Amino acid sequence: MRSKTSTNQVDEFLEKLSPEKQQLAHEVRRIIHAAVAHLEECVRWDCACYFFYGPVCYFASSRSGIHFGFFRGKELADPQRRLVSRNGQTPHVKIRSLEDIDESYFADLVREAVHLNQN
């Protein structure tokens, strides 16, 4: 049985990031919560992960910012073609600055990923 971790662990995860990455991560976290309020939030695989009938999305620190990824990203429509994947990585969007964040697009990806898990 999977043990449920508390939101405090995600807060602790965020505190370990540099101030620049914290700002990006807080904004992505806000978008995820606004898009689908009922996701389970936890820390797994050194990432902030979100679950609903299985893994939905995550964000993690990268060298130059954060990655905002989707476990079933290859199945998402991705009309802007921003999801990238190489060397077997989970499809993700690279976020290096606040200008890289597109709230409506990210929210649409989260909702579509949740919909995939419901079917």
Side-chain angles (χ1 to χ4, degrees):
M1 185 169 133
R2 184 180 348 162
S3 64
K4 196 171 182 180
T5 56
S6 70
T7 303
N8 290 337
Q9 286 185 330
V10 173
D11 292 333
E12 290 172 12
F13 169 78
L14 292 172
E15 288 174 8
K16 294 176 186 174
L17 300 175
S18 70
E20 299 81 17
K21 291 180 184 181
Q22 279 183 20
Q23 184 181 25
L24 300 175
H26 281 294
E27 186 63 16
V28 169
R29 185 184 193 193
R30 185 192 63 73
I31 292 168
I32 293 168
H33 286 297
V36 182
H38 58 270
L39 297 179
E40 175 191 342
E41 179 182 59
C42 60
V43 175
R44 297 246 172 85
W45 311 294
D46 201 29
C47 304
C49 296
Y50 297 83
F51 290 82
F52 186 73
Y53 292 108
V56 174
C57 62
Y58 70 92
F59 61 84
S61 179
S62 68
R63 273 184 271 162
S64 59
I66 64 170
H67 287 173
F68 179 32
F70 295 86
F71 293 97
R72 295 178 67 179
K74 292 178 182 178
E75 299 172 65
L76 297 176
D78 188 25
Q80 293 183 13
R81 297 181 173 255
R82 290 191 56 193
L83 290 171
V84 296
S85 176
R86 67 172 212 250
N87 300 329
Q89 291 176 320
T90 306
H92 60 275
V93 177
K94 294 179 181 182
I95 303 172
R96 295 181 182 98
S97 70
L98 288 174
E99 290 77 34
D100 293 333
I101 296 174
D102 182 336
E103 183 168 353
S104 64
Y105 183 64
F106 288 3
D108 288 345
L109 290 174
V110 171
R111 285 189 287 269
E112 184 181 355
V114 166
H115 182 73
L116 284 174
N117 280 6
Q118 288 177 310
N119 294 323

